[in-house]
Amino acid sequence: MNDLLIKNGRVIDPANGVDGQFDLLIEKGKISAVKKKISDGSRKIIDAKGKWVAPGLIDIHTHFREPGYEYKETIETGARSAAVGGFTSVACMANTNPVNDCGSVTEFILDKAKSALVNVHPIGAVTRGLKGEALADIGEMAQLGVAALSDDGKCIMNGSVLRAAMEYASMFGLTIMEHADDSAISQNGSLNEGEVSSDLGLTGAPAIAEDVITARDISIAEYCKAPIHFCHVSTAGCVQLIRHAKDRGVRVTAEAAPHHFSITEDACRGYNTNAKMAPPLRTDSDVTAIIEGLSDGAIDCIASDHAPHSLFEKEVEFDNAAFGIVGLETSLGLSMALVHGGHMTPAKLIEAMSYKPAGIIGIDRGTLKPGAVADVTIIDPGLEWTVDPSKFKSKGRNTPFAGRELKGKAIYTIVKGKVVSKC
Amino acid sequence: MAEQDLYHRHLISMTDLSSSDIGQIIETAKVMKAISERDVKKTPTLRGRTVINFFTEPSTRTRTSFEIAGKRLSADVINISAAGSSLSKGESLKDMVYNLDAMKPDMLVVRSGFAGVPSMMTEWIECPVVNAGDGRHEHPSQCLLDLMTIQEKKERLEGLKVSIIGDILNSRVAKSNMIAMRKVGMSVTACGPATLLPVNIEKIADKVTSSLDEAVDGADVIMALRVQTERLERIGFPNVREYSKLFGLGLERMKKAKKEALVLHPGPINQGVEISPEVAEGPWSVILDQVTNGVAVRMAILYLLLGGGLQINE
């Protein structure tokens, strides 16, 4: 049968307060038992001694580019990349072509997702064509099962449109994921405004462009009593605003991308277009603030903002290079540094990469409770490896982490009881 | 160090040159200048060498200057223009440079509206690359001709006080000069509207002021920068009239300057905006000396990077 017994591992299941050595049994695609000792029987066995057995990792912020930009990535290749990275569920953003702003595009993505290696949840656009003007077909997409709503890549600049979207989306229990960027302030800046932008002679986007929208959105969310989620928080100012908002009970959640807590604007020196993304890499003090936010819970979760691009879109003038980097295959390794560095406990990391993101997009995953769907990731916390973009399963090779040595890797990715990737 | 060697094969940024490198280029340029003063303005030094001037942004002075410099040294000079970005034509920057490289040039002189283009090209081409101005990044040959002119007139660089006035945020000339001038021991005052100063101005200048009188007072060298009025009016400053009132170098202002102060301008000049005709053509002005020295400095750059196997950093 397809039954699978994972023995001797350190089961880390923050949803149920479990962290200790247990055996975990999967039967018929569901978790059937988590116990001290389960007999082998005639089952397939994985010995996970010294390894972490975690609920399948979840990345709520990816770009799978299909439909429209299949040369960058497809749902199939994106899902394979996710599987290698240890992710069992991902949510993919709406900035495809056509934009996922109506039922037929949502249906197309869901149809492609059926044959993908991992669970792929489409995120619907907030506004038609991501134009920030008229509402997208939110109800229709909600009925088909979009996980959340976002105009990611673009900020909803008109506050009254955002307010209407929040109120309307709340009828369907959908959260809006905001890409906070006052475009009038950031002016198409291609890196952080500061010493590096000045040295390189490039237009920078200052941190205040992100901060002011975050402040605005918190006020609107507080007024509407609706949830708001902040994508890829990159500034110390935003972490502070979000922390204060949470303290007074605003329904705010936030994610951080591994690159924003691993490297700074210095990575752009030499006009390295693989260090160009939005929001941009910031400064040391921003990195410190994001790590603090993750450890004290001001920031709920880690999401990669996996943004594959073709080589020819990066081997151009810095100003003309595409924004974004791939992230699914490096996300866990980079995030493990927070554990190795003593900033997060293993349980806290798993919470930020599985349980919490599941809650934000409202899927019944991120738990190892008996009866739950058997999405499981087995992690070797001590495995040392070097990032080699030529080995990526993603079509994208655009990463600033080529050659970087990481410690910690997913060695088994299990979706609905089936091993979809192992190393 | 490998990196140092690489950069000295090319001329991309004034950060890559030491004070003695700068001195050597200026001394070589003085020798080159004598060639331009002969009846027959040509030496066979770079005979058989091919120099490509690749300009993707309009330029009269710099391009002509590089072309004359190459020709006076007997190099074969080819001028290519291309509008806009390589990407807009569907060709990647890398492909374009690979194609130029396949034609085996001995030197590539690059002007681009985009910062970083010459620097990126060094990775894709065998021959030396000279930055002839890239976006808002740097303009090393302009900086070197400025320094040569100042040195010629003042017979020293160290200890001089220079004030750079105007749109420092968008000026690659100001950027290269601030880096180099501090290296050779000059003290730099940056003066311009707060809207047109870079965020880290305190770190890259010795003194920052929004008062033109303060900047002019006691300066040995005053450098006025071109203001792109069409781009900056309304947001950089309210209007040209106000700009000229606050930051225009006119006769009244020059009364507060040292009698022997030099006035420089990288050109092209907006007459009556950042500088008045009386000052541009007045006794302080060395603006045309800058242009003459531009040819000499570019001859020196070509010679040092190509001829006689000399290293700039010897």
Side-chain angles (χ1 to χ4, degrees), chain B residues 259-279:
Chain B
K259 228 171 73 192
E260 66 281 13
L262 303 178
V263 169
L264 284 80
H265 190 296
I269 291 173
N270 291 310
Q271 294 276 12
V273 182
E274 69 264 7
I275 191 166
S276 75
E278 293 82 5
V279 175

Side-chain angles (χ1 to χ4, degrees), chain B residues 61-76:
Chain B
R61 209 174 326 257
T62 305
R63 183 167 144 166
T64 311
S65 186
F66 266 108
E67 183 171 357
I68 291 174
K71 287 184 167 161
R72 290 200 175 150
L73 293 170
S74 300
D76 297 314

Side-chain angles (χ1 to χ4, degrees), chain A residues 59 61 63 152-153 178-181 189-193 205-207 210-211 214 229-239 242 254-268 274-294 299 301-307 314 323-327 330-335 337-338 343 399-401 404:
Chain A
D59 190 334
H61 191 149
H63 297 269
D152 182 60
E178 174 77 294
H179 176 129
D181 170 41
S190 50
L191 74 173
N192 184 47
E193 180 176 289
E210 191 174 336
D211 296 350
T214 302
H229 173 83
F230 291 102
C231 296
H232 39 51
V233 171
S234 78
T235 76
C238 288
V239 176
I242 291 164
E255 71 192 36
H259 45 269
H260 286 132
F261 59 73
S262 303
I263 51 178
T264 66
E265 57 183 350
D266 275 318
C268 298
N274 280 332
K276 177 178 173 180
M277 70 280 290
L281 297 169
R282 306 277 187 192
T283 66
D284 279 326
S285 56
D286 296 301
V287 167
T288 306
I290 290 165
I291 293 174
E292 275 170 18
L294 277 164
I299 297 176
C301 70
I302 294 168
S304 71
D305 192 8
H306 178 80
K314 284 289 194 181
F323 287 97
I325 63 169
V326 290
T330 49
S331 182
L332 176 61
L334 290 164
S335 302
L338 300 177
H343 302 292
T399 174
F401 297 110
R404 190 172 173 113

Side-chain angles (χ1 to χ4, degrees), chain B residues 152-280:
Chain B
E152 227 177 32
K153 301 288 175 190
K154 294 284 184 189
E155 292 174 338
R156 68 184 170 114
L157 294 173
E158 200 178 340
L160 294 179
K161 288 168 76 176
V162 56
S163 288
I164 303 179
I165 294 150
D167 177 10
I168 292 167
L169 175 68
N170 294 298
S171 173
R172 54 193 172 212
V173 177
K175 175 83 79 56
S176 285
N177 268 313
M178 285 192 284
I179 295 164
M181 286 171 164
R182 296 177 90 193
K183 274 190 186 183
V184 299
M186 298 167 77
S187 112
V188 181
T189 297
C191 173
T195 42
L196 299 177
L197 298 175
V199 280
N200 64 337
I201 188 68
E202 273 89 6
K203 281 191 180 168
I204 58 178
D206 298 290
K207 198 180 151 200
V208 184
T209 175
S210 290
S211 156
L212 183 57
D213 286 336
E214 214 175 289
V216 165
D217 185 27
D220 300 298
V221 179
I222 300 163
M223 179 181 286
L225 299 171
R226 175 177 170 78
V227 183
Q228 289 189 314
T229 49
E230 60 289 348
R231 199 151 65 95
L232 297 174
E233 223 174 350
R234 293 200 306 279
I235 183 104
F237 44 84
N239 56 58
V240 169
R241 197 173 58 91
E242 178 160 326
Y243 182 87
S244 138
K245 222 172 178 176
L246 293 173
F247 298 100
L249 211 52
L251 272 183
E252 279 303 304
R253 303 284 191 169
M254 288 306 293
K255 281 182 187 158
K256 289 169 185 119
K258 283 187 180 174
K259 228 171 73 192
E260 66 281 13
L262 303 178
V263 169
L264 284 80
H265 190 296
I269 291 173
N270 291 310
Q271 294 276 12
V273 182
E274 69 264 7
I275 191 166
S276 75
E278 293 82 5
V279 175

Side-chain angles (χ1 to χ4, degrees), chain A residues 4-9 21 23 44-51 53 378 411-412:
Chain A
L4 186 60
L5 176 62
I6 303 167
K7 288 173 67 96
N8 307 318
Q21 190 169 317
D23 291 352
K44 208 179 139 208
I45 288 168
I46 295 173
D47 185 4
K49 195 167 169 49
K51 314 290 190 284
V53 179
I378 305 178
I411 53 169
Y412 282 92

Side-chain angles (χ1 to χ4, degrees), chain A residues 34-91:
Chain A
V34 180
K35 287 185 188 156
K36 273 286 168 204
K37 184 86 189 145
I38 300 174
S39 64
D40 292 0
S42 60
R43 304 170 177 109
K44 208 179 139 208
I45 288 168
I46 295 173
D47 185 4
K49 195 167 169 49
K51 314 290 190 284
W52 298 353
V53 179
L57 305 183
I58 297 166
D59 190 334
I60 60 171
H61 191 149
T62 71
H63 297 269
F64 280 1
R65 309 300 190 198
E66 194 178 0
Y69 305 105
E70 291 82 357
Y71 68 96
K72 296 178 196 252
E73 194 82 290
T74 62
I75 290 166
E76 187 207 333
T77 58
R80 203 179 304 150
S81 177
V84 169
F87 294 93
T88 55
S89 295
V90 299

Side-chain angles (χ1 to χ4, degrees), chain B residues 138-152:
Chain B
E138 284 208 44
H139 196 345
S141 66
Q142 174 71 41
C143 163
L144 287 161
L145 73 86
D146 292 340
L147 291 176
M148 177 185 179
T149 307
I150 296 165
Q151 219 262 359
E152 227 177 32

